[in-house]
Amino acid sequence: HALAAPGTDAWGLARALRPRLLVGALTTMASYAGLLATGFPGFREMGLFSIVGIAAALLVTLLALPALLGPAAAPARRLRAWADACERAAAALRTRRRSVFVALFAAVAIAAVGLPQLDFTDDLRGLSQLDPELLAEDERVRARLSQFDTSRLVITRAADEDEVLRRQQRIHARLAELRDAGALEGVRPLQALLLPAGVQRRNHEIVRADPDLPERLERAFAAEGFVEGAFAPFLEALRGPPPEPLTLRDLRATSLAPLVDSMVFPVGDDLAVATFLRGVRSESELEQALAGLPGARWLDQTALIDEFFGGFRATTLRQMAAGSLLVLLVLVLRYRDLRAVLAAFVPSSAF
């Protein structure tokens, strides 16, 4: 419009450009349509948003923009100079077709040689190189704070608190057997802080039923340097009515809340408990030990992320292939001529 002769009608220019604009918009929309077939919600949303945006831009360009532009005015001198330079460059290419084909074939040859040599890796750790000093410092800090690997854990799920604690107790028994057998070094379960309500009541009854407990307790702790009578309130409480079992809410009201929150979290309508592990030496034995236990799942976050990344890579390649096929289909429907289709499709694919 800016380069047209003064007084040229913008609506006429829009009608003249309509076929080209339609092909450009449809091929771009077709390339984004490949995102709609992915299993990633974010990709599907991005593809749909792009397709709708391009379609809206096309309609505005064809139906609204001419009314805003009005008749063409005299083109600016600098704009005309740039347009003339582009025309001369296009004319030079027409006279040097051999050079254009040489460049195209060179791009195709480089792609043909390079593609088989691509080495895909799904291990994200191989995509970056950590500073050895920072890595050593991180290991020193972790050794002082916790020796457990928070990326390798067993998840226990159930519909309510007491059920998840019962399941977690059974899982801990299996993990303790593995630890004793040397299949793993250590276990940090929630059981160290909280037991099922039934187990708490049973333990309380066992303690109350031991008549010699007060004397043995005082003697044992006095030998370790505790002040005599320090546990008198505890022994007095044993003689009273049994207390209500300890709950997660009770623990979260204490200074242990950060530790509890790192191990207990909701998953949908269920409650989940994480049991952290240290020094897993045999994943197969671990999976076999957990087999058949309801609500138990072994989770290696590093392997899970690598698996997710591998799926992402494979999905991306499928999207590229699907998008390219859709673009090719649009070009075939538009030109219905193999030479024209290849002329439009091959350069963009090769470069």
Side-chain angles (χ1 to χ4, degrees):
H1 181 268
L3 292 171
T8 301
D9 181 31
W11 290 105
L13 291 174
R15 285 191 295 271
L17 292 173
R18 185 186 302 161
R20 299 172 179 83
L21 292 176
L22 283 172
V23 171
L26 290 176
T27 51
T28 307
M29 292 165 65
S31 64
Y32 278 107
L35 297 175
L36 300 179
T38 180
F40 299 104
F43 279 7
R44 292 200 301 268
E45 293 170 4
M46 184 167 61
L48 180 61
F49 179 84
S50 301
I51 291 173
V52 173
I54 294 168
L58 176 65
L59 292 176
V60 170
T61 301
L62 294 177
L63 303 179
L65 187 58
L68 300 175
L69 292 175
R77 182 176 302 176
R78 183 173 298 178
L79 181 61
R80 172 52 66 186
W82 277 107
D84 292 342
C86 290
E87 293 236 358
R88 289 193 297 271
L93 288 176
R94 293 190 187 97
T95 60
R96 295 178 175 83
R97 285 192 169 186
R98 183 174 298 176
S99 301
V100 176
F101 282 108
V102 168
L104 177 60
F105 288 136
V108 173
I110 292 173
V113 173
L115 285 176
Q117 300 182 28
L118 288 178
D119 183 20
F120 291 105
T121 175
D122 296 331
D123 187 355
L124 292 181
R125 292 169 295 185
L127 301 180
S128 61
Q129 185 174 1
L130 298 177
D131 188 327
E133 294 183 2
L134 290 178
L135 185 59
E137 182 179 355
D138 177 74
E139 292 177 352
R140 288 196 300 270
V141 172
R142 289 180 180 273
R144 298 187 63 179
L145 294 178
S146 173
Q147 296 180 350
F148 288 91
D149 185 1
T150 55
S151 67
R152 313 183 85 183
L153 60 157
V154 176
I155 302 295
T156 311
R157 289 180 57 177
D160 56 69
E161 177 180 326
D162 200 56
E163 178 61 25
V164 78
L165 291 175
R166 288 197 297 268
R167 291 183 176 182
Q168 206 262 346
Q169 188 178 30
R170 291 194 292 269
I171 291 172
H172 178 256
R174 296 279 183 91
L175 295 177
E177 293 175 359
L178 290 179
R179 180 191 56 201
D180 296 339
L184 57 88
E185 293 181 6
V187 182
R188 191 178 76 182
L190 182 65
Q191 181 175 328
L193 302 175
L194 186 63
L195 292 170
V199 177
Q200 294 184 50
R201 293 189 179 96
R202 187 178 69 247
N203 290 345
H204 184 269
E205 293 173 0
I206 293 173
V207 172
R208 289 188 63 179
D210 187 349
D212 299 329
L213 177 65
E215 182 182 349
R216 296 203 319 274
L217 187 65
E218 287 287 355
R219 188 170 56 249
F221 278 97
E224 296 296 330
F226 284 83
V227 177
E228 186 177 351
F231 292 91
F234 167 69
L235 297 175
E236 182 66 26
L238 286 179
R239 289 189 284 269
E244 290 296 321
L246 190 68
T247 65
L248 285 173
R249 178 179 295 181
D250 298 330
L251 284 179
R252 287 192 169 111
T254 69
S255 59
L256 294 174
L259 181 58
V260 174
D261 290 339
S262 69
M263 303 175 71
V264 182
F265 49 91
V267 178
D269 296 331
D270 292 344
L271 188 66
V273 174
T275 301
F276 297 104
L277 308 177
R278 182 181 72 242
V280 178
R281 297 191 178 95
S282 176
E283 294 187 7
S284 60
E285 291 185 28
L286 179 60
E287 293 176 353
Q288 185 177 358
L290 297 176
L293 291 178
R297 180 180 179 184
W298 152 247
L299 178 62
D300 185 340
Q301 295 187 54
T302 301
L304 184 64
I305 292 175
D306 291 343
E307 180 182 353
F308 175 82
F309 185 72
F312 172 81
R313 174 182 58 79
T315 300
T316 301
L317 293 176
R318 288 195 297 268
Q319 291 166 354
M320 293 175 60
S324 298
L325 290 176
L326 289 173
V327 170
L328 192 61
L329 178 61
V330 171
L331 294 174
V332 169
L333 294 176
R334 167 63 179 87
Y335 294 113
R336 301 181 184 278
D337 178 77
L338 181 60
R339 183 176 180 181
V341 170
L342 294 178
F345 182 78
V346 173
S348 61
S349 301
F351 289 96

